[in-house]
Every structure is written in C-alpha cells, then in structure tokens.
Amino acid sequence: MIERKAYTLLQEWKSRNGTTALLIEGARRVGKSTLAEEFAKKEYRSYLLLDFATVPDDVKELFYIYSDNLEALFRYLSTYYGMILYPRESLIIFDEIQLFPQARGLIKYLVADGRYDYIETGSLVSIKKNTENILIPSEEEPLRLNPLDFEEFLAAKGEDGLSLVLQQSAASLDPVPQAIHRKAMSLFREYILVGGMPQVVDTFVKTGSFAEADRIKRLILNLYRNDISRYAKGYESKVVAVFDDISSQLSKQEKRFTLASLGRNARSRSYEDAFFWLQDASIVNFCYNSTDPNVGLGLHRERLTFKCYMADTGLLVSHAFSDKRKTLEQVYRSILFDKLEINEGMFMENIVAQSLVASGHSLFFYSRSDREDADERMEIDFLIVDDSTQAKVCPIEVKSKKQYSITSLEKFKKKFSRKIGQQYVLHTKNISIEGDRVFLPLYLVGYL
C-alpha cells in the first residue's frame, strides 16, 4: 500500500475515543476505501466492512428493522459477516455511504451508543438525492482525501532521501545543488504527467510506463462519465458539457471559465447544479476571484468569476488528449523533456492548484481589467493567507517557461503594498530571493 499522510489524521481522530464518526470524502479511486481498511487492520482488534455497492438488500433491511434496537443490529451484522465485534476495540466501516443514506442517518445514534468506532467513505454525499429523508448527523467529522501530493509520490518511488532534502530547502530557503534541482524537477514533471491517483502511481512505479499509467487514467475518466450518467439525472448533459470543456478553458491565456463557450444562451443559474455536482464528486477544484486581497479572501469572492481546475493533473493530461484513443508513450516523453509545443502553463497552474488544496488552502486569484488605465490591468494566479507573515495575503505567480515577466506582480505590490506579505514566483529554476519576493522551484509549492 502507498503510504498516505492522511493516516496520521485518522490516528488523531481515533484518539478522541468515538466522540464522532469520520467521513472520508473524495473522488472515486482516490484511495478512500483502501485507507480506511488499512487503518482498521492496523489499529483495531477487529473490523466490519460494509460496502454498500455490494451489500445485499436483506442486510440493508436490518438497518430499517432494527434502527431502534442497536443491540440486535450489531448481533445480526456480526453473525452475517462472521466477525466478532469488541466494545471500544472494533471499527465498523460504511463504504460508499452515499449509496445507502439510511445508514448515514443512524450515525447520530451509533455514536451516542459508544460501543464501536465508525468510518464512512463516499463521494457525492451532499447532492440532494443522497441526503433526502435523512438528518445529516452533526456527529460526523469530515476528512477530504486528495490525490497523492508530491511528497507521497516521491515516497512511492522510494525517494525519501530527496524528499527530506527538499523539506530542508523549503524551510531554510537555501537552493539545492543543481544536480539535485534537475533531479527534483524531472521527478516533478513525472508527477504532473502521472498524477496522484493511487492506482495510477502504483502502475507507473511498477512498470515505468507512461502508456500503462495513461490506460488506468482513462479507465478512471470513463468511470467519472458513467457516474455522471448514473447520478446526475436531469442535468447530465450540462455536467458533461462542463467536464469536457475543462482542458479547453485552461488552455486559454486567461483561464477563467467562460460559460459562453458552452453555448450562446448558457447562463450561470442553469449550470449551478452541474458545477456543484463536479465539486461534490471531487473531480474539480474551483478558484474564485477575490476583489479585495485581504485576510478574509472569501468575503470578497466573485461567485461568477472563477477558474475550474481538475483535482488531479495526471487526469487532466489524459483528458486533454481525449481526441485520441490513447496518449502515446512518445507524447508523454516529449512533454517530460519539454519538446512538445503545447500550452504547458495549463498543467503547471493546475498542479499548483492541486498542491495548494492538498496543503489545506482554499483557492483564490486576483483579476482586474481596465481598458483605460494599464496600471490597473493585472492578474495574479493565486492568493493565500500565510500566518507566518502577520496574516497578510501572499500573491503567487506561476511561470512554466525559463523566460518570463512579473509585470502583474509589480502592479499588485504597488497597489496593495500594505496588505501583502511574502510574494512568491513559482518557476522551473532554483531558489532565489529578491527583497520580499521569493522565487521557488515548482516542486516546493507543497510547502507554502
């Protein structure tokens, strides 16, 4: 099993002695079930796994009949699955909980009973279809499982030593030797192309084949399409339209999502459910324009001005080449060695968004257009709030080419000098510092 950082969060939850149930949310194939079961094996005397994608109807019926008799419910579940449950030493896993809301509705009473611990896993847990006729339990503690970050990718490749060196470099802001920098940058490009879905990473580590990794990614993308057809009834065409247009939108110089590209009469209100579905499925990450770069970035969010990133950049790569049945190995290697004429910036910006989300940041950017005053025209790729800089806003610019300008960053600093702290430029070169501006190699984005 690929080691996940989230494992320590599960240990912290367990230390609270059953005061809440843990809800692990995330995209399909991101490793939720694997993580929960591995945790159960290592941390409990016994565990019971109920996968509601396969649980028979007569077992589901027990949750209706014995909802007010938990003693009988536990006895019959234990007997059916041939598993002894021990008070305070056993874990019950409700896998794919969105498929059986009745079990989720019982969480309040199961937690109050206090005999066992409970982990739920699922996606699409907030859409109306999966919450009807149940009271969402306040005893649920949510945990979002993201695709593997770069450190986890390095660990899967056996590069723990490099990971430690990069941690130290990020902490001290000292550049690494050029040989190490080139190796780290090469592995980061691999990470961009492969992505962070556990099955894809595992396949790539075992085979070293981008083509094999691409095959698994396309199976996952096809699974997402099937989910759209199955669970987005009534508005599936709109979900598909947005999903299919993501790579096209990100390939533009201005990566803001433009509804007009979906049709002349496309309106935000009619696509709200589609965007929510994709977000609830953890397929995308939204980044909103914040009109006032202050500590409360969300207070000044422009709801209709946003970018739509894929939650996993490896999937975006395969999605971008979906016009072909498969992405050839030589295409991957051309991208890896920067020999293919494509808009590489879309992948770089997407991986930064993915990494910031994995680090716990909400995504915001700053954009302003002014036809009459050039000094007011600027766009900053990302904004974060860093507590180490007296809770000021830190602007981030992403540069995929060796030669670039930072005109927008200069304008932004001039306009908002009192509100901003450390400025970051993420590029393909080594670390350097110029006053209050830090130039970081892209592979260190996870430490921001």
Side-chain angles (χ1 to χ4, degrees):
M1 175 188 167
I2 296 175
E3 292 186 12
R4 303 302 304 268
K5 292 179 179 178
Y7 193 94
T8 59
L9 299 178
L10 270 66
Q11 289 176 314
E12 291 174 10
W13 164 78
K14 185 176 185 293
S15 70
R16 292 190 272 279
N17 296 315
T19 54
T20 60
L22 187 68
L23 173 62
I24 305 177
E25 301 178 77
R28 296 283 297 276
R29 297 293 180 87
V30 81
K32 304 182 297 295
S33 304
T34 302
L35 176 63
E37 189 166 12
E38 188 69 16
F39 182 71
K41 291 177 181 177
K42 291 181 178 179
E43 306 290 340
Y44 289 86
R45 186 176 176 184
S46 70
Y47 72 95
L48 189 60
L49 173 64
L50 285 81
D51 181 355
F52 288 116
T54 59
V55 166
D57 289 340
D58 53 353
V59 173
K60 291 180 180 178
E61 189 70 20
L62 297 174
F63 285 85
Y64 291 101
I65 298 173
Y66 300 107
S67 61
D68 58 351
N69 186 351
L70 298 182
E71 181 70 42
L73 176 64
F74 296 139
R75 182 169 63 252
Y76 292 134
L77 288 176
S78 177
T79 301
Y80 183 89
Y81 287 99
M83 181 63 65
I84 298 175
L85 296 174
Y86 303 93
R88 300 309 316 140
E89 296 183 87
S90 293
L91 173 70
I92 298 178
I93 301 172
F94 292 154
D95 199 20
E96 302 293 353
I97 190 67
Q98 77 279 1
L99 299 179
F100 190 50
Q102 172 69 13
R104 189 182 180 196
L106 282 181
I107 284 295
K108 174 184 178 66
Y109 308 102
L110 294 172
V111 170
D113 175 76
R115 253 173 284 193
Y116 312 114
D117 285 352
Y118 302 89
I119 289 181
E120 307 160 272
T121 76
S123 56
L124 296 170
V125 297
S126 298
I127 62 173
K128 184 177 179 181
K129 177 185 175 183
N130 295 331
T131 58
E132 284 182 324
N133 303 319
I134 68 166
L135 180 67
I136 302 300
S138 58
E139 293 77 11
E140 260 179 7
E141 187 172 331
L143 187 156
R144 177 176 177 179
L145 187 63
N146 297 299
L148 273 67
D149 66 15
F150 187 46
E151 278 192 335
E152 291 171 316
F153 179 79
L154 290 178
K157 294 209 66 174
E159 293 286 355
D160 298 281
L162 175 60
S163 185
L164 181 59
V165 168
L166 298 186
Q167 288 178 31
Q168 294 169 343
S169 177
S172 64
L173 293 182
D174 291 328
V176 297
Q178 279 302 109
I180 301 298
H181 169 72
R182 285 192 292 271
K183 178 179 181 178
M185 201 63 224
S186 177
L187 285 167
F188 191 71
R189 285 182 179 275
E190 277 189 10
Y191 172 58
I192 291 172
L193 297 173
V194 173
M197 302 303 278
Q199 185 184 3
V200 180
V201 174
D202 186 58
T203 298
F204 181 72
V205 169
K206 289 177 179 176
T207 66
S209 169
F210 286 113
E212 275 300 295
D214 183 74
R215 182 179 66 83
I216 303 299
K217 287 189 291 176
R218 287 174 183 266
L219 290 175
I220 294 173
L221 290 170
N222 189 58
L223 177 67
Y224 290 171
R225 289 185 177 279
N226 290 338
D227 281 349
I228 292 170
S229 299
R230 183 177 179 184
Y231 299 116
K233 293 293 185 183
Y235 54 97
E236 59 265 39
S237 61
K238 289 185 171 63
V239 179
V240 169
V242 174
F243 181 66
D244 284 344
D245 209 39
I246 292 173
S247 55
S248 174
Q249 296 275 353
L250 291 176
S251 68
K252 300 182 301 184
Q253 183 174 355
E254 290 188 351
K255 296 174 174 56
R256 283 169 287 176
F257 200 96
T258 307
L259 279 171
S261 66
L262 302 179
R264 181 181 299 177
N265 298 318
R267 296 292 182 270
S268 59
R269 180 173 295 180
S270 63
Y271 278 85
E272 281 182 348
D273 286 343
F275 286 124
F276 181 78
W277 194 97
L278 288 167
Q279 186 175 38
D280 200 41
S282 297
I283 294 173
V284 301
N285 291 319
F286 288 113
C287 181
Y288 293 95
N289 185 32
S290 182
T291 58
D292 183 8
N294 218 322
V295 174
L297 292 169
L299 297 175
H300 304 279
R301 182 187 74 166
E302 274 192 340
R303 189 176 60 85
L304 300 181
T305 308
F306 60 89
K307 304 175 189 178
C308 183
Y309 297 105
M310 288 281 282
D312 181 75
T313 308
L315 293 180
L316 173 63
V317 173
S318 295
H319 194 41
F321 293 100
S322 59
D323 56 325
K324 296 184 179 295
R325 187 172 61 85
K326 63 180 180 179
T327 309
L328 298 176
E329 183 85 13
Q330 56 262 38
V331 173
Y332 271 101
R333 297 201 176 277
S334 295
I335 299 173
L336 182 65
F337 295 111
D338 200 17
K339 293 182 178 179
L340 191 67
E341 289 298 321
I342 61 169
N343 182 3
E344 190 182 56
M346 66 184 287
F347 300 132
M348 292 296 190
E349 196 168 313
N350 200 93
I351 199 68
V352 170
Q354 178 180 335
S355 300
L356 290 175
V357 168
S359 298
H361 294 288
S362 297
L363 298 180
F364 295 96
F365 70 103
Y366 179 83
S367 179
R368 174 138 185 201
S369 300
D370 193 316
R371 295 182 179 180
E372 297 179 357
D373 188 350
D375 288 337
E376 291 294 319
R377 288 198 298 270
M378 67 189 88
E379 181 153 333
I380 303 298
D381 295 325
F382 298 99
L383 302 174
I384 62 172
V385 177
D386 188 347
D387 292 336
S388 65
T389 57
Q390 298 178 339
K392 290 189 175 182
V393 172
C394 299
I396 301 172
E397 284 277 73
V398 182
K399 305 297 179 182
S400 59
K401 300 299 182 183
K402 292 180 180 179
Q403 303 299 323
Y404 57 81
S405 68
I406 50 173
T407 306
S408 284
L409 197 55
E410 295 284 4
K411 293 178 182 178
F412 189 79
K413 178 183 177 182
K414 181 179 179 181
K415 184 176 179 64
F416 300 109
S417 58
R418 294 183 179 181
K419 296 182 178 183
I420 65 175
Q422 195 80 70
Q423 304 161 60
Y424 295 102
V425 178
L426 301 176
H427 61 179
T428 59
K429 303 176 186 177
N430 216 324
I431 292 178
S432 61
I433 301 175
E434 297 178 10
D436 57 359
R437 190 167 295 152
V438 178
F439 295 78
L440 289 177
L442 281 150
Y443 53 73
L444 294 184
V445 60
Y447 300 101
L448 293 180

